Amino acid sequence: MPTCPDGHESSTDDWCDVCGVPMVPVGAAVSGHESSDHHHDSGTELLASPRPSPLMVSCSSCGVLVPAADRFCEHCGFDLSAPAATRGTWIAEVTADQAVFDRLRPDGLTFPTGRPRRVIAVTAGEVVIGRSREGQAFQPDIDLSGPLTDPGASHRHAMLTRTDDGGYTVTDLGSTNGTSLNASLDTLEPGRPYRLADGDRVHVGAWTTITLRRLED
Amino acid sequence: MTTFAAQTYQNEYLPADGTEVNAIVTVSCSGSGAGTSPRTRAEVIIVDTSGSMGHPIAKLKAAIEATKAAIDCLPDGTLFGVIATEGDARRVYPTGDELAVVSHTTRSQAKAVVDQLRADGGTALGRWLLEARRWLAPHPDAIRHALLLTDGDNEGESPAEFAAALQACRGVFQCDCRGIGTRWQVSELRAAASALLGTVDIVARPEDLRADFEAIMRSAMGKEVGDVRLRLWAPRGARVALVQQVAPAIEDLTSTGVSVDDRTSDFPIGAWGDESRDYHVCIEVPARSVGEEMLAGRVSLVVDGEVQSQSLVRAVWTDDAALSTKINPHVAHYTGQAELASAIDEGLEARRTGDDDTATFRLGRAAQLAAESGNDGTLRLLAKVVDIDDATTGTVRLRRNVDAADEMALDSRSTKTVRIPPAG
């Protein structure tokens, strides 16, 4: 079975049967993020891949070949004029996720429809996810209060820890309502680090989904 | 060989944080009637012979004539039965557990029995439908249909019994429901028609009943495949917010989905002949970045266990407002038709409770929507309940004396829609 750019095995070859992303990214000749050497010559291995012409560049976020004159990558929307991301930079996309809310059905809460997505850069060695409270000194790095408020999130809910090879793990810090991954109903064992893959979704609280994406250089 | 085709109409562009994808899917079936293997059909006619059908006696006579005409519409080989209702349901022809097979002889015998029907007893729609169910349940491979005629409200059983009966009959047979006269409840027959994928309508004048029954039988006998399902796949993290039939009439199917796997559900859409119907699908997907594209839904048809056709519902995120703010004309049209149906429903309800201001406001809005969308049929029905001063602005006045039959006709047919008017 073919593998989609987000790593799922798909029984269909046009759009991923699991997550719906296009199986072959628009404009790219090679499959997905598995191979990270877009700017090397990949023409010898795969028959149909064109050599990058002088007018095309490889997006530093997703690797797709795009016209050099473009400001934004047509596949992932990354700002091509921004300085190249540091190797191993991750971003955390925080959303209020209806699917999580529907699964948990928390009593007495109304889902906050229309809340926009927020994207936060994740670079530090330890990144704490939690909900700050007035009068408390400690501020979580990803703060689920105010515009991102989630009443089901604990003060110190979970933590992202950088690994030696530039990746991240997620650890539940003994939260009240638990942390889960990728739509699973099982909660993570508190205190145990779980390795994160690019595109993994961390669910905390009543409706928060934090999608971790890794930026390649 | 019956073939299905599905075609999607949508604006696939979403703004940066957009999550709601709407699409109209037109499903067409053709090639049926060229019949290589005609399916068995099974038909049960349920005729209300409660006491009130005898007052006036014209109602009972019309029901008898219409039932005989319906029997004459059945082709040889069809399984059939007639239930009359003197309080409880009674199998009048045949009298045993097995449905009869249509032939010259059995038609004559059945019609002779129907001629002898007398009016007596009360009304219990759920129990009557359960009687039909007993006859039809042993034939899962047949295209199963029932025709229910009543003249009164469901005073013989509780709402809970009625609801339980509908739930038990769901999926076993489809049922078209008709009310004769004006003493029956539109909401009760509509509940039965919705649960059993059928139509509901009023036949105000007894002399019109025969033609109506014949039309229902012709439509039922024109179906070539039974138990078709609309299969909808949505990706992980997505939520199917709405699945609604929008043409020829509005029927909400959202809660009828049967889960196939954790991303796919099948929605029963009944038996089909050569016809086409439109569906409105709304899927909420997790927002992605500008420039990204994903598949929000895959729509296909399941016919006799075989998956046919496939239509794609896409989502593309863009920061170009000119692209993302456009509404697809098909989606806009049917959103309007759905609003029209609710405006009528709310307007009539307000009128019943004496809230004239709300009634005027909602029925005015209904007139406006009907005029805009070219839904002349509904506009004519509205004109019997309100005086329409100006349909374009929705200015109407409640009529003082409204014929009960006209009010019930508007109520029964409020969900009938028209197809999108041609552009230009």
Side-chain angles (χ1 to χ4, degrees):
Chain A
M1 288 211 286
T3 309
C4 91
D6 279 0
H8 307 119
E9 283 214 343
S10 169
S11 60
T12 47
D13 55 19
D14 52 1
W15 275 269
C16 174
D17 188 45
V18 174
C19 70
V21 300
M23 287 300 282
V24 177
V26 170
V30 297
S31 63
H33 297 169
E34 306 296 314
S35 69
S36 55
D37 32 335
H38 297 289
H39 49 284
H40 298 309
D41 179 7
S42 46
T44 49
E45 300 228 31
L46 293 139
L47 289 171
S49 55
R51 286 168 175 275
S53 78
L55 293 170
M56 303 283 276
V57 293
S58 175
C59 167
S60 52
S61 167
C62 70
V64 162
L65 291 172
V66 295
D70 278 0
R71 166 75 191 276
F72 290 98
C73 169
E74 64 185 352
H75 173 57
C76 74
F78 188 75
D79 183 351
L80 299 168
S81 69
T86 313
R87 176 187 282 278
T89 299
W90 289 67
I91 54 165
E93 189 187 286
V94 185
T95 51
D97 189 338
Q98 179 84 53
V100 170
F101 182 77
D102 286 348
R103 258 204 314 282
L104 299 176
R105 303 177 198 272
D107 274 355
L109 291 179
T110 313
F111 182 79
T113 48
R115 179 186 284 181
R117 202 172 47 118
R118 297 296 164 98
V119 175
I120 298 164
V122 170
T123 51
E126 280 179 358
V127 175
V128 177
I129 301 165
R131 181 163 60 100
S132 69
R133 285 197 281 272
E134 290 234 340
Q136 292 208 302
F138 175 76
Q139 291 290 321
D141 303 291
I142 296 181
D143 188 356
L144 301 179
S145 71
L148 295 181
T149 201
D150 183 327
S154 298
H155 183 53
R156 286 175 56 94
H157 194 108
M159 181 166 74
L160 303 174
T161 311
R162 196 185 192 86
T163 58
D164 285 350
D165 61 348
Y168 272 93
T169 60
V170 62
T171 308
D172 182 287
L173 299 174
S175 69
T176 308
N177 294 319
T179 306
S180 59
L181 279 177
N182 293 326
S184 168
L185 290 171
D186 299 336
T187 50
L188 305 185
E189 196 188 331
R192 195 190 126 183
Y194 290 76
R195 189 166 184 90
L196 290 170
D198 180 23
D200 270 356
R201 292 163 193 91
V202 177
H203 309 296
V204 302
W207 52 62
T208 303
T209 290
I210 301 171
T211 307
L212 277 304
R213 292 194 211 279
R214 181 181 191 148
L215 306 184
E216 300 283 356
D217 70 352
Chain B
M1 169 67 194
T2 308
T3 12
F4 279 80
Q7 154 115 46
T8 304
Y9 300 91
Q10 64 162 144
N11 175 10
E12 66 270 33
Y13 291 103
L14 295 172
D17 300 311
T19 56
E20 192 179 294
V21 183
N22 283 284
I24 300 296
V25 182
T26 297
V27 178
S28 320
C29 174
S30 63
S32 65
T36 42
S37 51
R39 293 278 293 274
T40 310
R41 290 192 194 81
E43 183 67 47
V44 173
I45 302 170
I46 307 171
V47 192
D48 185 340
T49 54
S50 61
S52 50
M53 282 293 280
H55 304 288
I57 197 72
K59 281 196 287 187
L60 180 66
K61 289 191 171 170
I64 288 171
E65 287 313 306
T67 303
K68 292 188 327 189
I71 291 168
D72 278 336
C73 290
L74 302 176
D76 284 3
T78 308
L79 299 173
F80 85 112
V82 180
I83 290 172
T85 69
E86 296 110 15
D88 265 337
R90 180 170 70 87
R91 298 174 185 182
V92 296
Y93 189 90
T95 50
D97 287 337
E98 275 304 311
L99 289 166
V101 179
V102 174
S103 69
H104 176 73
T105 313
T106 56
R107 273 197 212 94
S108 306
Q109 290 173 343
K111 289 192 294 185
V113 170
V114 167
D115 258 332
Q116 304 299 315
L117 291 176
R118 296 290 171 263
D120 193 13
T123 303
L125 301 172
R127 284 208 290 279
W128 302 351
L129 288 166
L130 287 175
E131 192 59 43
R133 185 190 186 283
R134 268 175 222 114
W135 247 344
L136 291 167
H139 302 278
D141 293 332
I143 300 177
R144 298 175 287 185
H145 180 266
L147 167 51
L148 170 66
L149 174 73
T150 188
D151 79 322
D153 59 69
N154 204 19
E155 36 74 22
E157 65 187 11
S158 70
E161 285 177 281
F162 184 38
L166 291 183
Q167 190 54 28
C169 293
R170 199 190 265 274
V172 178
F173 59 96
Q174 288 182 248
C175 183
D176 288 310
C177 306
R178 292 296 182 268
I180 184 168
T182 58
R183 309 300 294 271
W184 55 282
Q185 296 299 316
V186 176
S187 56
E188 284 167 354
L189 284 195
R190 185 193 292 293
S194 288
L196 304 180
L197 302 181
T199 59
V200 56
D201 207 344
I202 180 174
V203 182
R205 302 182 322 156
E207 53 267 37
D208 296 330
L209 193 62
R210 181 195 167 118
D212 198 43
F213 270 30
E214 285 172 335
I216 293 172
M217 283 300 106
R218 270 198 302 275
S219 167
M221 295 304 117
K223 307 297 185 193
E224 287 290 328
V225 292
D227 196 26
V228 179
R229 285 152 192 258
L230 187 80
R231 174 164 289 182
L232 179 59
W233 170 96
R236 181 179 284 181
R239 184 178 88 98
V240 174
L242 182 79
V243 176
Q244 193 180 58
Q245 177 185 292
V246 289
I250 298 191
E251 274 302 339
D252 195 336
L253 305 174
T254 315
S255 62
T256 68
V258 175
S259 187
V260 174
D261 61 43
D262 64 359
R263 295 181 292 284
T264 315
S265 290
D266 281 354
F267 296 82
I269 54 176
W272 283 64
D274 269 6
E275 58 183 296
S276 100
R277 304 179 203 168
D278 289 351
Y279 297 87
H280 182 164
V281 172
C282 177
I283 304 167
E284 281 165 15
V285 294
R288 287 201 165 235
S289 326
V290 165
E292 285 196 75
E293 169 180 345
M294 78 188 287
L295 191 64
R298 243 188 251 271
V299 181
S300 50
L301 285 313
V302 183
V303 186
D304 287 339
E306 182 202 320
V307 179
Q308 277 197 38
S309 188
Q310 185 186 206
S311 192
L312 305 177
V313 179
R314 294 163 56 228
V316 181
W317 281 265
T318 179
D319 52 12
D320 184 347
L323 289 175
S324 64
T325 51
K326 279 196 330 204
I327 301 184
N328 176 276
H330 294 254
V331 173
H333 172 74
Y334 284 119
T335 304
Q337 296 291 283
E339 196 195 330
L340 169 57
S342 344
I344 293 173
D345 192 39
E346 285 160 30
L348 290 178
E349 180 58 34
R351 193 178 156 273
R352 270 174 228 130
T353 59
D355 182 354
D356 285 359
D357 285 345
T358 303
T360 308
F361 176 56
R362 295 306 277 146
L363 293 175
R365 177 69 178 137
Q368 193 180 31
L369 288 164
E372 263 170 30
S373 60
N375 196 333
D376 294 336
T378 299
L379 202 54
R380 271 198 292 278
L381 294 171
L382 274 165
K384 299 257 175 72
V385 177
V386 292
D387 284 322
I388 302 177
D389 290 336
D390 185 353
T392 33
T393 56
T395 314
V396 304
R397 282 167 295 120
L398 293 183
R399 291 175 80 160
R400 200 80 62 82
N401 298 312
V402 176
D403 201 307
D406 290 332
E407 195 259 8
M408 290 173 78
L410 178 61
D411 196 354
S412 316
R413 296 172 201 163
S414 62
T415 50
K416 278 187 162 178
T417 59
V418 289
R419 289 328 238 273
I420 186 171

